[in-house]
Amino acid sequence: MTDILPSYLQGRWWSPSSDADAVDVRDASTGELVTRVSTDGIDLAGALEYARGVGQRSLGALTFHQRAVLLKQFALALSARKDELYELSKRSGSTQRDSLSDVDGGIGVLFTYSSKGRRELPNSQVYVDGAPEPLSKDGSFLGQHVYTRLPGVAVQINAFNFPMWGALEKFAPAFLAGVPTVVKPATPTAYIAEAWVRILVESGLLPDGSLQLVSGSLPGLFEQLRLGDLVGFTGSASTAERLKAQCPDGVRFTRETDSINASVLGLDATPGTPEFDAYVKQLLVELTTKAGQKCTAIRRAIVPAGTADAFVDAVREKIAERVVIGDPHAEGVTMGPLVSVEQRDEVLGQVGKLQAAGGRILLGSTDAPEVTLADGSTGPAPDGAFVAPMLIGFDDAAADAVHTVEAFGPVASVLTYDSLEEAAELVGRGGGSLVTSVATHDSAVAVELLRGIGAYNGRVLFLSRENARTSTGHGSPVPHLVHGGPGRAGGSEELGGIRAVLHYMQRTAVQGSPEMLTALTGVWHAGAAAEASGTHPFRKSLAELRIGDQVRSEQREVTLADIETFAEFTGDTFYAHMDEEAAAANPFFPGRVAHGYLLVSWAAGLFVDPAPGPVLANYGLENLRFLTPVSPGDRIRVTLTAKEITPRETDEYGEVRWDAVIHNQEDEVIAQYDVLTLVAKHGADASAEVSSPVTAEAVTT
C-alpha cells in the first residue's frame, strides 16, 4: 500500500501521474509507511459534473424504498468483509473496540437508515410534510408543504478519527434522499475510507455516480460549487470558519466541529452509589476509546467539590485495572496510540496551554509511556504516537482555557461545583457542545440541570442505575437522534433520523387545487376526483387499486338500545352515554350520545367487504377525531377513499392508507380518521409472488 492511494472518480479508479507533492501516511504505532496521498492533476470539476449528471439520474430513477433496500445491501456487503477493515484500522491506532464504534457503527447507520426509510418514508420520490392547509372556503384551493431532493452533489469533508462511521453517517441520508456524494476523507486515515469504498464498488450495488472518493485535497472546490450543492464538514472549528467563508451563496454548508463536552456528576451520586460507579466507568471509556480522539469525548468532568478526590482515585484505580496501552496488533491491548505523531504533538501542546492556565496534572503524565509492542514485549515506542490518559485539575473552575482549549486525545479536566446552578453555568461556558451527560438518580436534579444546559447542547444523556447497562454512552451518537450542537459545536445537525434525509431536500410550499396536489404528492386530497365503481376497493390488489378508489356506504340508524348494549358489553358506562340529565348538562352534548368507538366499529361494518381477498389485515387507525355528537335516532354513513398506496419492495404486500369520514343524516362530519391496511400486491392467482430486492442491474435499467 506504499503506492499513491487511488481515488474513485467518474466510475473508475484514478491515481495521479506524479507523486511530487504526495503526503506520507504512517502506522500510528510503529511509524512504518502505510501509503502516500496526492490528488495532483485531479479533474474535480469533472467529478462534480458526473455526480450532478449521472449520479442524479441513477438515483432519481429510484424511490425512497428502493434506495433504502440498497442501503441494507451495502451494509451486508461491508459486514461480510469487516474483518479486513478491522485489521486495516489497527494501523491507525484503533483497537478492536475502537473498530466497533467506527466500522460496526458505520454499518449500523446503513441498516438504521434502510429500516427507517422503509418505515417512515413513502415508496415514492416526494415527501409530504404535514397536513394540507385549506386556503379557500369551498376547499378548491389548498397549500401543502413537500420535500424534493436537491439537484446537486453532497461533498463530505471528514475527520481522521472515524473514516468509516463519519462518512457513512452523511452518505446514508444523502443517498436515501437521492443526492450523490463525493467523499473526501482526512489524510491520516484515507486508506481506510478507500477500503470501504472499494468494497462497495466491488459489490456492484452502487448506482452509477452515487458515490465518489477523493483521496487527498480538493483543489479549487468552492469555486466549482453552485446552488443545489451541499458541503458537510467535520473537523476543527477554525477550519470550519475558513471553509464556510469560501462557500458560495446558495450552497448549504453544515459543520460538526470540536466541542468542549461536559459530564456532570450529580450531587446525589456519591461514592458507593451506582451512579458514581457508572460515571467513572463512562469517563474511562471516553478517555481511552479511540485514545480520546472523539468529537463527543468528555473534556470537562464537573463533579461536586466534596467528591473530587474520590473521583480521581476511582479513575486511577480503573485505569490500572483495565487499560493496557500499546500496538493494537498485540493481544490484550485496550488503548492504542493517537493517529499520528503530529497529532500526539498537537495534544501535548494543548495540555501545555491548560497547564499554563493553572491546570495541574492529577493523573497520568506528558512523558512517553511504556507500551506493549506488536510482538507482545513492552518498552518505549519512539516512532509511535502514544499518550497516556490524563486528568487535569483546576482550582479556578471558571478559568477561560479549560472551557476553550481542547486537547483532542485522552485528556479531561476536572472541575468542581457547589450548586446545580454553578454546574449548569460551567457547562454553558463551553460555548455550545455536542453532548453533556449527567449521572444522577434524582429526577429533580435532572429537571433543574436540563433547564440550565439544554440550550447549550445537541444531546443530553441522563445516566442512572436503571440504564447504566443499556445506555449507548456519552460519546456514542445514534442514527435515530440528532448529532450536532449549537455554537462552537457547529450549529448544525447530522443524523437525527428522517430529519437528516430532509437536510438533503428542499421544502417547498405547493399551492393548487385538490386534484393538482393529489397528482403532485401521490396522496389523495379531499375534493380531488374519486371513483366509487361497482368493484369494492377491498377486492382490488395493489396492482389494481388506484388513488381515489372509493366506497360509500348505506346509512345505519343509532338507537338508544344500541348505545346501552355497547356500554354493557364494553363496560364503558361514561355518563354521557348513560345519564340523560348529566349528559345534557355537559356543554358538548345535547343529551345521551353514542360512544365514539361504537361509531368507528359500525363504520368498519359499513365499509368492510368480508370475504377473503387482497386485503390481508387492519394495520391500525391514525389521526382519529370525533367532531359532532350522535344522538339516538341519528343515522350515520361512511365514505372510504384510497388515500395513499405504499408497496413494500421486498414483501408480497404493501400498505394502503384510506381516508375515512363518517357523516350523519344532515351531512355533518361526525368523525374522520385514516384507516391503515395491508394489501397483497397481486390477486389470488399471483399472491405468492415476492418482488426481488433492488439490484444494480435494476438500477441501470
PDB file of all heavy atoms in Angstrom, residues 342-353:
ATOM      1  N   GLU A 342       2.207  13.712  14.668  1.00  0.00           N
ATOM      2  CA  GLU A 342       1.809  15.122  14.584  1.00  0.00           C
ATOM      3  C   GLU A 342       0.626  15.392  15.508  1.00  0.00           C
ATOM      4  O   GLU A 342       0.590  16.425  16.203  1.00  0.00           O
ATOM      5  CB  GLU A 342       1.453  15.492  13.144  1.00  0.00           C
ATOM      6  CG  GLU A 342       2.613  15.510  12.174  1.00  0.00           C
ATOM      7  CD  GLU A 342       3.009  14.129  11.688  1.00  0.00           C
ATOM      8  OE1 GLU A 342       2.250  13.158  11.951  1.00  0.00           O
ATOM      9  OE2 GLU A 342       4.074  13.998  11.058  1.00  0.00           O
ATOM     10  N   GLN A 343      -0.321  14.472  15.544  1.00  0.00           N
ATOM     11  CA  GLN A 343      -1.470  14.635  16.431  1.00  0.00           C
ATOM     12  C   GLN A 343      -1.044  14.504  17.886  1.00  0.00           C
ATOM     13  O   GLN A 343      -1.555  15.208  18.755  1.00  0.00           O
ATOM     14  CB  GLN A 343      -2.552  13.604  16.089  1.00  0.00           C
ATOM     15  CG  GLN A 343      -3.836  13.730  16.897  1.00  0.00           C
ATOM     16  CD  GLN A 343      -4.542  15.062  16.704  1.00  0.00           C
ATOM     17  OE1 GLN A 343      -4.347  15.729  15.698  1.00  0.00           O
ATOM     18  NE2 GLN A 343      -5.349  15.451  17.674  1.00  0.00           N
ATOM     19  N   ARG A 344      -0.108  13.603  18.160  1.00  0.00           N
ATOM     20  CA  ARG A 344       0.422  13.481  19.528  1.00  0.00           C
ATOM     21  C   ARG A 344       1.027  14.802  19.983  1.00  0.00           C
ATOM     22  O   ARG A 344       0.751  15.286  21.096  1.00  0.00           O
ATOM     23  CB  ARG A 344       1.488  12.384  19.559  1.00  0.00           C
ATOM     24  CG  ARG A 344       2.180  12.210  20.914  1.00  0.00           C
ATOM     25  CD  ARG A 344       3.514  11.497  20.739  1.00  0.00           C
ATOM     26  NE  ARG A 344       4.442  12.283  19.919  1.00  0.00           N
ATOM     27  CZ  ARG A 344       5.584  11.805  19.409  1.00  0.00           C
ATOM     28  NH1 ARG A 344       5.922  10.541  19.607  1.00  0.00           N
ATOM     29  NH2 ARG A 344       6.374  12.593  18.698  1.00  0.00           N
ATOM     30  N   ASP A 345       1.835  15.404  19.128  1.00  0.00           N
ATOM     31  CA  ASP A 345       2.477  16.667  19.499  1.00  0.00           C
ATOM     32  C   ASP A 345       1.443  17.773  19.680  1.00  0.00           C
ATOM     33  O   ASP A 345       1.591  18.648  20.551  1.00  0.00           O
ATOM     34  CB  ASP A 345       3.498  17.069  18.434  1.00  0.00           C
ATOM     35  CG  ASP A 345       4.669  16.091  18.355  1.00  0.00           C
ATOM     36  OD1 ASP A 345       4.853  15.313  19.306  1.00  0.00           O
ATOM     37  OD2 ASP A 345       5.381  16.102  17.323  1.00  0.00           O
ATOM     38  N   GLU A 346       0.384  17.748  18.851  1.00  0.00           N
ATOM     39  CA  GLU A 346      -0.686  18.732  18.987  1.00  0.00           C
ATOM     40  C   GLU A 346      -1.377  18.596  20.336  1.00  0.00           C
ATOM     41  O   GLU A 346      -1.646  19.595  21.022  1.00  0.00           O
ATOM     42  CB  GLU A 346      -1.690  18.554  17.845  1.00  0.00           C
ATOM     43  CG  GLU A 346      -2.978  19.347  17.987  1.00  0.00           C
ATOM     44  CD  GLU A 346      -2.795  20.840  17.836  1.00  0.00           C
ATOM     45  OE1 GLU A 346      -1.751  21.262  17.287  1.00  0.00           O
ATOM     46  OE2 GLU A 346      -3.689  21.595  18.271  1.00  0.00           O
ATOM     47  N   VAL A 347      -1.663  17.372  20.739  1.00  0.00           N
ATOM     48  CA  VAL A 347      -2.335  17.135  22.024  1.00  0.00           C
ATOM     49  C   VAL A 347      -1.456  17.595  23.182  1.00  0.00           C
ATOM     50  O   VAL A 347      -1.922  18.286  24.108  1.00  0.00           O
ATOM     51  CB  VAL A 347      -2.704  15.650  22.171  1.00  0.00           C
ATOM     52  CG1 VAL A 347      -3.125  15.336  23.611  1.00  0.00           C
ATOM     53  CG2 VAL A 347      -3.824  15.287  21.205  1.00  0.00           C
ATOM     54  N   LEU A 348      -0.196  17.240  23.149  1.00  0.00           N
ATOM     55  CA  LEU A 348       0.702  17.638  24.239  1.00  0.00           C
ATOM     56  C   LEU A 348       0.857  19.157  24.288  1.00  0.00           C
ATOM     57  O   LEU A 348       0.981  19.746  25.375  1.00  0.00           O
ATOM     58  CB  LEU A 348       2.062  16.963  24.065  1.00  0.00           C
ATOM     59  CG  LEU A 348       2.049  15.427  24.209  1.00  0.00           C
ATOM     60  CD1 LEU A 348       3.432  14.860  23.968  1.00  0.00           C
ATOM     61  CD2 LEU A 348       1.527  15.018  25.582  1.00  0.00           C
ATOM     62  N   GLY A 349       0.806  19.785  23.129  1.00  0.00           N
ATOM     63  CA  GLY A 349       0.856  21.243  23.108  1.00  0.00           C
ATOM     64  C   GLY A 349      -0.372  21.860  23.769  1.00  0.00           C
ATOM     65  O   GLY A 349      -0.263  22.864  24.502  1.00  0.00           O
ATOM     66  N   GLN A 350      -1.534  21.291  23.542  1.00  0.00           N
ATOM     67  CA  GLN A 350      -2.754  21.785  24.166  1.00  0.00           C
ATOM     68  C   GLN A 350      -2.739  21.536  25.678  1.00  0.00           C
ATOM     69  O   GLN A 350      -3.220  22.368  26.456  1.00  0.00           O
ATOM     70  CB  GLN A 350      -3.974  21.116  23.535  1.00  0.00           C
ATOM     71  CG  GLN A 350      -4.190  21.446  22.062  1.00  0.00           C
ATOM     72  CD  GLN A 350      -4.485  22.924  21.819  1.00  0.00           C
ATOM     73  OE1 GLN A 350      -3.565  23.741  21.712  1.00  0.00           O
ATOM     74  NE2 GLN A 350      -5.765  23.254  21.735  1.00  0.00           N
ATOM     75  N   VAL A 351      -2.177  20.414  26.091  1.00  0.00           N
ATOM     76  CA  VAL A 351      -2.027  20.155  27.527  1.00  0.00           C
ATOM     77  C   VAL A 351      -1.146  21.236  28.148  1.00  0.00           C
ATOM     78  O   VAL A 351      -1.417  21.732  29.262  1.00  0.00           O
ATOM     79  CB  VAL A 351      -1.442  18.752  27.777  1.00  0.00           C
ATOM     80  CG1 VAL A 351      -1.056  18.582  29.251  1.00  0.00           C
ATOM     81  CG2 VAL A 351      -2.439  17.679  27.365  1.00  0.00           C
ATOM     82  N   GLY A 352      -0.095  21.605  27.436  1.00  0.00           N
ATOM     83  CA  GLY A 352       0.772  22.675  27.928  1.00  0.00           C
ATOM     84  C   GLY A 352       0.011  23.979  28.126  1.00  0.00           C
ATOM     85  O   GLY A 352       0.241  24.706  29.103  1.00  0.00           O
ATOM     86  N   LYS A 353      -0.899  24.291  27.223  1.00  0.00           N
ATOM     87  CA  LYS A 353      -1.713  25.503  27.370  1.00  0.00           C
ATOM     88  C   LYS A 353      -2.609  25.418  28.605  1.00  0.00           C
ATOM     89  O   LYS A 353      -2.800  26.411  29.324  1.00  0.00           O
ATOM     90  CB  LYS A 353      -2.566  25.716  26.127  1.00  0.00           C
ATOM     91  CG  LYS A 353      -1.782  26.076  24.877  1.00  0.00           C
ATOM     92  CD  LYS A 353      -2.707  26.265  23.682  1.00  0.00           C
ATOM     93  CE  LYS A 353      -1.922  26.587  22.419  1.00  0.00           C
ATOM     94  NZ  LYS A 353      -2.823  26.745  21.237  1.00  0.00           N
TER      95      LYS A 353
END
